[in-house]
Amino acid sequence: MIPRMMSEAVHATTGIDIHPGAAIGDSFFIDHGTGVVVGETAVIGNNVKIYQGVTLGALSVRKELANRKRHPTIEDEVTIYAGATILGGGTVVGRGSVIGGNVWLTESVPPNSRIYHNPSQIRRARADDPEAWDGGL
């Protein structure tokens, strides 16, 4: 009960929600932590850096999965940028990897990977006609 109460107090103050059951290594760094969520069965290695809005969560919240590992494993020396979502108990982010901003990841990546969000289409309004779209950059 005490760890959960402390977790709630920290969340209310910082906007960071780390479940007390998460396993976290040395030198864990959270920059601009608002919106960071770390689930109960997450495993975070040493020298990991994450930024605002990162979720290390479960793919499913079904009650029958309560006793299984539901949250990802983040190995040592990983950086996860703002807005990334990494889900699933079988998902492992390999040592030395960089996960870019706004990435949605539900599969494991090998060590030293670079994973970036690449939108299929970027649209912007034309300066001379804000209702018209230029079809891309």
Side-chain angles (χ1 to χ4, degrees):
M1 181 69 171
I2 297 295
R4 190 66 192 163
M5 287 174 41
M6 289 187 64
S7 176
E8 290 301 323
V10 169
H11 179 243
T13 302
T14 65
I16 298 170
D17 186 359
I18 300 176
H19 193 285
I24 300 173
D26 293 333
S27 298
F28 179 50
F29 176 78
I30 302 174
D31 194 9
H32 304 290
T34 301
V36 168
V37 177
V38 177
E40 178 181 17
T41 62
V43 176
I44 300 172
N46 298 320
N47 302 311
V48 170
K49 294 183 274 188
I50 64 175
Y51 292 82
Q52 69 269 20
V54 168
T55 298
L56 304 179
L59 280 169
S60 176
V61 292
R62 293 181 310 200
K63 196 162 191 117
E64 61 268 17
L65 298 177
N67 293 325
R68 297 182 64 194
K69 184 171 181 343
R70 301 175 311 283
H71 305 92
T73 296
I74 311 300
E75 294 184 345
D76 297 345
E77 310 289 336
V78 169
T79 300
I80 306 170
Y81 285 101
T85 299
I86 303 172
L87 304 176
T91 303
V92 177
V93 176
R95 179 187 184 97
S97 293
V98 174
I99 308 302
N102 299 315
V103 166
W104 182 274
L105 187 63
T106 59
E107 298 176 6
S108 295
V109 297
N112 301 307
S113 295
R114 301 295 179 263
I115 309 296
Y116 296 100
H117 174 69
N118 185 11
S120 60
Q121 183 177 17
I122 299 173
R123 298 175 64 177
R124 65 176 178 204
R126 291 191 338 232
D128 63 331
D129 184 359
E131 296 300 316
W133 295 94
D134 70 0
L137 297 175

